[in-house]
């Protein structure tokens, strides 16, 4: 079977019509992973034996006519989502041998449908980064150009889908970690509204910003996975008690009259001309379909990077304090309790994670708390107000997903400030707890994908999916040659 | 603004992290640049109002405090080194 950019719904048809069995399909993906991933490095762990067993069980369901949307569908899961009995490393030496004793809620939900786990995808260590180059185990490359980064932190998930080493994957997004790698790798990824998907079992980076979401070949597949993983969870006090719609309900509906806002600050200096052109061309395509473009402004964007990093790192410093080398994780050496903890953390964490812990503790420490952390919270309120004002006159917002296409490996790694500033187009969506989907809207002259983001009102994923899908129906994506 | 060595040492203390001399020098430079970027927020003239946090999402109510079966001890301890039916730490009392 041709696996190149094959969509979940095509696989569903092939499985249900017995064109291919779940075991055969799974085997085909492992063959491709074996052939391609030695260069790409998108997986940290491949779970072949477990996958074959799951595929056999899935086949029984299919044979009995009891298949759901994801029965027998192979998926890759980012390595920060806990799976009972399967090594979950967060791409960190700290968790190199960690075997979770329980399943994340999203995994329970996928299991209920009989999905098949292909393996655990690489990421920036503890989801801190936008290049996948902070991974301790697999510094993933971009399928369109192996000298370039795949984005991050869910870079392994995006690269695996882009290179057809999985038909879809789960990622997590704290400041753009689903959308930016989706943009760099030419695939589609959605960060749902905060609270839409349970975070139970997601290794916490910044608890008020983290959200799990799918990365797929297109918007329609994203909707299928959202249908499987969303919903309130009693194990997560921040999961919302909001009605869960059928996320496919608006797909294919005309967008005539849909108001699309273009905040001018997202198209300002610092954003590549090729990116601006591709996103504006997409805006005009949507206009041709009957959408109405609305000019608007988000002046708070210029403070978004410090606000995001202060909030995210403050939460990370607190969340990562649990890693002490005693209950689980890398165990250092020391004659005293204090020495053991310091050695475990100093050698277990990578440099970027340590920098963020230091920054978080700086923002929270006496004398700096009001000037930095509380100021960042004030800015969060202002950004929410500014989004609310835009949504008074628009249904969705259209922006570039990243200021540039995928950049060369090594070109930004030594400069944390440059790395942080590259998150400018995505972080406000997490701060305001909004849903955002990134899909490919064009390619550079050298063939690198360019992504655009469609941002919606809280819990209005169906409208952004409708808009992204409307664009995709007239767009021909180009798969990487791998 | 160059960050002072005492500040970094204090942060390392709070963070339970150690650097060797070279690492300390490097992280001081990086943190100085990062704090410069964060300082931009000081231009923003608004005060945080914790009564208007905008968190208007209805989250789940706290679940009932029902007793549930706990994870098996062996499973939890399997991720810890030096186990002997319990977590082992360096001697803290003479």
């Amino acid at each position: 079977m041709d696996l190149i950019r094959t969509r979940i719904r095509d696989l569903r048809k092939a499985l249900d019509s017995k064109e291919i069995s779940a075991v055969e399909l799974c085997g085909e993906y492992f063959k491709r992973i074996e052939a391609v991933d030695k260069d790409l490095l998108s997986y940290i762990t491949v779970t072949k034996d477990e996958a074959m067993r799951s595929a056999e069980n899935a086949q029984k369901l299919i044979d009995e006519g009891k298949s759901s949307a994801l029965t027998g569908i192979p998926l890759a899961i980012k390595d920060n989502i806990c799976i009972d009995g399967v090594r979950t490393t967060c791409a960190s030496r700290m968790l190199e041998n960690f075997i979770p004793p329980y399943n994340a809620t999203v995994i329970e939900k996928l299991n209920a449908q009989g999905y098949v786990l292909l393996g655990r995808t690489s990421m920036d260590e503890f989801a801190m980064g936008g290049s996948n180059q902070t991974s301790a185990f697999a510094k993933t490359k971009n399928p369109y150009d192996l000298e370039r980064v795949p984005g991050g932190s869910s870079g392994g998930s995006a690269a695996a889908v882009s290179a057809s080493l999985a038909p879809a994957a789960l990622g997590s997004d704290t400041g753009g970690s689903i959308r930016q790698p989706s943009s760099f790798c030419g695939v589609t990824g959605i960060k749902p509204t905060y609270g839409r998907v349970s975070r139970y079992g997601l290794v916490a980076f910044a608890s008020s910003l983290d959200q799990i979401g799918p990365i797929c070949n297109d918007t329609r597949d994203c909707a299928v996975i959202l249908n499987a993983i969303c919903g309130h969870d009693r194990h997560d006090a921040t999961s919302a008690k909001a009605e869960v719609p059928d996320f496919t309900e608006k797909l294919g509906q005309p967008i005539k009259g849909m108001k699309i806002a273009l905040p001018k600050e997202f198209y300002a200096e610092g954003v590549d001309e090729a990116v601006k052109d591709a996103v504006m061309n997409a805006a005009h395509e949507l206009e041709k379909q009957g959408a109405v473009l609305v000019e608007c402004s988000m002046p708070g964007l210029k403070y978004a990077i410090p606000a995001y990093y202060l909030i995210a790192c403050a939460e990370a410093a607190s969340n990562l304090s649990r890693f002490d080398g005693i209950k689980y994780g890398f165990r250092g050496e020391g004659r005293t309790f204090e020495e053991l903890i310091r050695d475990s953390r100093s050698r277990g964490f990578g440099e970027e994670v340590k920098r963020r812990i230091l920054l978080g503790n700086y923002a929270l420490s006496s004398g700096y708390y009001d000037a930095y952390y509380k100021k960042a919270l004030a800015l969060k309120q202002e950004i929410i107000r500014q989004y609310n004002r835009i949504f008074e006159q628009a249904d969705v917002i259209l922006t570039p997903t990243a200021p540039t296409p995928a950049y060369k490996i090594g070109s930004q790694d030594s400069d944390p400030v440059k790395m942080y500033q590259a998150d400018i187009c995505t972080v406000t969506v997490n701060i305001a707890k909004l849903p955002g989907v990134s899909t490919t809207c064009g390619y550079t002259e050298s063939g690198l994908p360019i992504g655009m983001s469609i941002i919606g009102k809280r819990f209005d994923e169906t409208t952004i999916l409708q808009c992204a899908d409307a664009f995709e129906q007239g767009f021909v994506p180009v798969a990487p040659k791998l | 603004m160059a960050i002072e060595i005492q500040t970094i040492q204090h942060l390392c203390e709070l963070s339970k992290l150690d650097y060797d001399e070279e690492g300390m020098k490097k992280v001081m430079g990086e943190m100085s640049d990062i704090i410069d970027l964060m300082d931009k927020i000081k231009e923003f003239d608004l005060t945080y109002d914790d009564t208007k946090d905008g968190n208007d999402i209805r989250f789940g109510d706290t679940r009932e405090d029902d007793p549930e079966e706990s994870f098996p001890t062996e499973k939890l301890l399997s991720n810890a080194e030096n186990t002997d039916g319990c977590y082992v730490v360096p001697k803290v009392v003479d």
Side-chain angles (χ1 to χ4, degrees):
Chain A
M1 183 175 187
D2 181 13
L3 299 183
I4 301 301
R5 292 294 177 97
T6 308
R7 300 163 305 185
I8 291 175
R9 55 191 181 279
D10 301 323
L11 296 176
R12 178 80 272 131
K13 272 186 207 153
L15 288 167
D16 288 344
S17 67
K18 309 286 168 72
E19 183 191 325
I20 192 167
S21 75
V23 173
E24 287 165 345
L25 178 63
C26 197
E28 292 290 310
Y29 274 104
F30 283 117
K31 265 190 230 164
R32 193 163 159 75
I33 291 169
E34 219 164 275
V36 174
D37 208 42
K38 57 185 184 302
D39 297 322
L40 194 64
L41 305 175
S42 63
Y43 284 88
I44 288 177
T45 306
V46 174
T47 50
K48 196 170 178 179
D49 294 342
E50 296 93 324
M52 288 304 181
R53 279 197 295 276
S54 305
E56 281 169 19
N57 292 335
Q59 190 58 47
K60 284 180 199 155
L61 290 172
I62 295 168
D63 291 343
E64 289 165 12
K66 291 180 184 167
S67 60
S68 316
L70 298 175
T71 309
I73 301 293
L75 299 176
I77 306 290
K78 186 175 179 179
D79 212 13
N80 61 349
I81 297 171
C82 288
I83 303 182
D84 192 354
V86 178
R87 191 170 76 118
T88 300
T89 71
C90 284
S92 178
R93 293 264 169 236
M94 182 59 87
L95 290 176
E96 187 166 4
N97 299 309
F98 176 61
I99 312 283
Y102 71 106
N103 279 325
T105 296
V106 289
I107 300 300
E108 290 289 345
K109 284 174 176 274
L110 293 177
N111 279 340
Q113 293 214 2
Y115 93 113
V116 176
L117 172 70
L118 288 171
R120 316 304 313 269
T121 44
S122 190
M123 52 186 280
D124 281 292
E125 185 181 1
F126 281 102
M128 297 179 185
S131 68
N132 248 52
Q133 305 309 299
T134 69
S135 169
F137 308 119
K139 297 184 193 309
T140 312
K141 296 166 184 177
N142 191 302
Y144 286 85
D145 179 349
L146 294 177
E147 291 186 358
R148 290 176 188 270
V149 301
S153 65
S154 310
S157 291
V161 175
S162 173
S164 305
L165 307 187
L170 288 190
S172 67
D173 191 316
T174 305
S177 284
I178 286 174
R179 291 159 288 152
Q180 184 254 28
S182 295
S183 165
F184 280 13
C185 292
V187 289
T188 304
I190 180 167
K191 183 206 89 76
T193 307
Y194 182 79
R196 186 59 109 177
V197 180
S198 168
R199 293 185 299 108
Y200 180 70
L202 171 68
V203 179
F205 161 13
S207 305
S208 76
L209 305 166
D210 297 339
Q211 190 66 185
I212 295 171
I215 296 176
C216 302
N217 281 310
D218 68 5
T219 298
R220 292 184 178 204
D221 277 1
C222 283
V224 170
I225 295 200
L226 281 183
N227 276 347
I229 63 172
C230 289
H232 176 253
D233 176 18
R234 61 193 290 274
H235 289 112
D236 175 5
T238 64
S239 94
K241 275 197 167 168
E243 195 187 330
V244 180
D246 173 358
F247 292 100
T248 66
E249 70 185 6
K250 287 190 183 174
L251 299 175
Q253 286 184 14
I255 57 162
K256 191 169 179 353
M258 184 184 283
K259 289 182 183 154
I260 301 176
L262 305 170
K264 63 181 180 192
E265 291 78 5
F266 283 89
Y267 299 83
E269 201 184 331
V271 179
D272 270 16
E273 287 305 317
V275 173
K276 281 186 220 172
D277 289 348
V279 180
M280 283 313 296
N281 285 341
H284 293 307
E285 282 302 318
L286 292 166
E287 195 176 27
K288 277 185 208 160
Q289 292 187 34
V292 180
L293 303 184
V294 179
E295 286 181 17
C296 66
S297 174
M298 177 171 277
L301 189 68
K302 67 176 172 178
Y303 303 115
I305 291 294
Y308 167 77
Y309 274 93
L310 289 164
I311 293 170
C313 293
E315 294 183 21
S318 171
N319 274 326
L320 271 62
S321 65
R322 75 191 65 181
F323 296 103
D324 54 13
I326 294 169
K327 300 180 293 298
Y328 47 83
F330 177 81
R331 187 180 177 104
E333 292 167 359
R335 286 166 297 138
T336 66
F337 197 65
E338 172 85 5
E339 279 179 13
L340 172 68
I341 293 172
R342 293 180 83 114
D343 190 55
S344 300
R345 292 169 63 81
S346 300
R347 291 200 283 139
F349 290 135
E351 294 309 311
E352 179 58 24
V353 173
K354 286 195 263 194
R355 275 195 292 270
R356 293 197 192 198
I357 292 172
L358 291 174
L359 176 61
N361 279 327
Y362 181 77
L364 292 175
S365 58
S366 171
Y368 299 106
Y369 179 79
D370 286 341
Y372 290 101
Y373 184 64
K374 282 184 89 172
K375 189 69 98 168
L377 292 181
L379 195 54
K380 176 180 87 168
Q381 293 181 329
E382 178 59 19
I383 285 171
I384 291 170
R385 276 194 289 273
Q386 291 184 11
Y387 268 119
N388 287 344
R389 275 201 290 273
I390 293 174
F391 282 126
E392 281 169 13
Q393 46 170 334
D395 301 299
V396 298
I397 298 169
L398 177 67
T399 72
T401 303
T404 67
Y407 49 85
K408 288 257 171 126
I409 292 170
S411 64
Q412 293 196 10
D413 304 353
S414 57
D415 187 347
V417 167
K418 206 169 165 188
M419 225 158 53
Y420 296 174
Q421 284 170 327
D423 295 339
I424 185 69
C425 297
T426 47
V427 292
T428 54
V429 172
N430 300 74
I431 289 172
K433 305 186 188 303
L434 303 173
V437 60
S438 175
T439 192
T440 312
C441 62
Y443 298 89
T444 64
E445 281 180 9
S446 58
L448 295 172
I450 296 170
M452 64 174 181
S453 280
I454 300 164
I455 303 160
K457 298 170 187 169
R458 286 181 186 172
F459 299 106
D460 192 15
E461 286 87 357
T462 53
T463 302
I464 59 172
L465 292 170
Q466 178 193 5
C467 184
D469 177 62
F471 176 78
E472 286 175 1
Q473 295 315 304
F475 182 77
V476 182
V478 180
K481 295 179 183 69
L482 271 179
Chain B
M1 180 190 76
I3 195 162
E4 291 176 3
I5 180 88
Q6 291 87 346
T7 308
I8 286 285
Q9 284 167 341
H10 178 57
L11 293 178
C12 286
E13 195 55 42
L14 291 172
S15 308
K16 301 291 176 209
L17 291 171
D18 291 319
Y19 288 93
D20 60 18
E21 203 178 318
E22 198 183 323
M24 184 66 92
K25 219 166 153 185
K26 186 166 175 275
V27 81
M28 270 179 69
E30 289 164 346
M31 288 303 293
S32 295
D33 292 344
I34 292 169
I35 302 296
D36 281 347
L37 177 67
M38 299 304 130
D39 276 344
K40 197 172 171 61
I41 207 167
K42 291 181 177 169
E43 296 169 9
F44 179 71
D45 187 23
L46 262 186
T47 308
Y48 174 56
D49 179 353
D50 61 6
T51 64
K52 292 177 183 166
D53 204 4
N55 289 332
D56 46 0
I57 296 174
R58 192 186 160 217
F59 293 118
D61 305 323
T62 313
R63 67 176 186 267
E64 290 302 312
D65 187 18
D66 294 329
E68 287 179 17
E69 205 175 319
S70 167
F71 292 114
T73 308
E74 312 80 65
K75 210 170 179 180
L76 294 179
L77 285 172
S78 67
N79 279 301
E81 284 185 32
N82 301 320
T83 59
D84 184 17
C86 53
Y87 298 111
V88 176
V89 294
K91 197 173 175 184
V92 288
V93 179
D94 283 327

